[in-house]
Amino acid sequence: MIETKQTRERIYDTDEMFMNRWSPRSFSKKQVPQADLMTLFEAAHWAPSAFNFQPWRFIVAQTAEERNVFHSFIKVFNLAWCKSAPVLTLILSKTTNDGKFVPTHSFDTGAAWANLALQANKKGLITHPMTGFNFDKAREVLHIPDEYKIEALVAIGYQDDKEKLPAQLQEREQPNGRHQLETFIMNGKFEEK
Ligand SMILES: Cc1cc2nc3c(=O)[nH]c(=O)nc-3n(C[C@H](O)[C@H](O)[C@H](O)COP(=O)(O)O)c2cc1C
């Protein structure tokens, strides 16, 4: 596994788990034990949410048949690498509660996704989120009601050697960086940065 310290630098003493999570594309075909996989969803569902509404939902594809259905709506540039991932999970958020719109549905589901990704790393697993797929086709083939927003798709599995990837993806197969921390922080009022 790539040592993230080589390519990621931090100023403040933040927990290692934040530095160690990244989104590789080289997935081994090795199956994920069900109990390990479930720890990811366990972590996800402990995320905070407005009114504890828990709007996150996960459609999990593990069998060849289920993954083939998912492959039918994933764009070619993503399918090229995520075909070998043993688990694909479509993340949805429920947009209404008792018929009323829940404005925080995406915010809360984003928190659940972050928990899932961090827990995956703790289990020696990798995750790669995607929005490069046909949302309308996913809704159609998986019979997803309008009340649920499709947020993202995530590939889950074990990391493989980068040499297994198509040549053009091999050079991108390393943890990336972030903008300077101060770019994101405003002091007491809105500041254009
Ligand atoms: C909502 C979302 C959609 C993304 N869509 C894609 C995608 O379609 N294909 C892809 O290769 N990576 C995709 N990514 C991965 C991002 O490029 C990646 O998370 C970002 O560069 C930060 O890198 P890191 O996750 O390795 O820290 C997506 C990430 C997020 C959060």
Side-chain angles (χ1 to χ4, degrees):
M1 198 166 289
I2 290 172
E3 184 51 72
T4 52
K5 277 186 203 123
Q6 289 169 8
T7 48
R8 290 189 157 174
E9 282 176 20
R10 68 192 147 169
I11 299 170
Y12 297 100
D13 187 22
T14 298
D15 196 283
E16 289 291 335
M17 71 173 174
F18 299 107
M19 310 303 290
N20 288 337
R21 184 220 55 84
W22 66 288
S23 306
R25 290 187 176 84
S26 188
F27 279 82
S28 137
K29 291 200 168 94
K30 186 179 162 192
Q31 294 300 305
V32 181
Q34 196 62 18
D36 287 350
L37 181 64
M38 289 309 294
T39 67
L40 278 56
F41 299 112
E42 175 79 40
H45 101 302
W46 284 106
S49 60
F51 300 104
N52 202 17
F53 178 48
Q54 304 161 57
W56 43 79
R57 300 290 186 274
F58 307 98
I59 304 183
V60 185
Q62 291 182 82
T63 66
E65 199 181 334
E66 290 163 347
R67 288 187 304 118
N68 278 341
V69 172
F70 275 49
H71 293 169
S72 75
F73 58 74
I74 298 175
K75 295 203 171 154
V76 179
F77 65 92
N78 282 327
L79 197 56
W81 55 266
C82 80
K83 250 191 330 229
S84 52
V87 185
L88 293 166
T89 296
L90 192 69
I91 304 178
L92 314 176
S93 63
K94 190 165 190 273
T95 61
T96 58
N97 186 18
D98 284 338
K100 281 203 213 108
F101 180 64
V102 176
T104 55
H105 64 91
S106 286
F107 184 84
D108 297 340
T109 302
W113 139 250
N115 280 9
L116 182 155
L118 293 168
Q119 174 64 24
N121 269 52
K122 293 248 170 208
K123 282 281 170 198
L125 290 158
I126 57 166
T127 55
H128 196 126
M130 284 167 262
T131 46
F133 62 94
N134 185 322
F135 280 55
D136 291 340
K137 186 155 185 208
R139 187 177 291 284
E140 186 191 319
V141 298
L142 297 173
H143 309 290
I144 300 168
D146 290 345
E147 192 186 358
Y148 292 81
K149 181 180 177 209
I150 298 175
E151 299 285 356
L153 177 64
V154 55
I156 301 168
Y158 295 98
Q159 192 174 5
D160 208 342
D161 299 331
K162 75 171 178 183
E163 289 69 28
K164 303 260 174 77
L165 287 171
Q168 75 277 15
L169 290 178
Q170 289 185 25
E171 59 205 52
R172 292 169 65 191
E173 189 71 346
Q174 59 175 330
N176 54 19
R178 295 294 184 267
H179 302 308
Q180 294 288 317
L181 181 56
E182 53 267 29
T183 316
F184 304 104
I185 300 165
M186 304 174 193
N187 295 302
K189 60 178 168 38
F190 186 82
E191 296 169 74
E192 196 75 67
K193 296 201 179 188

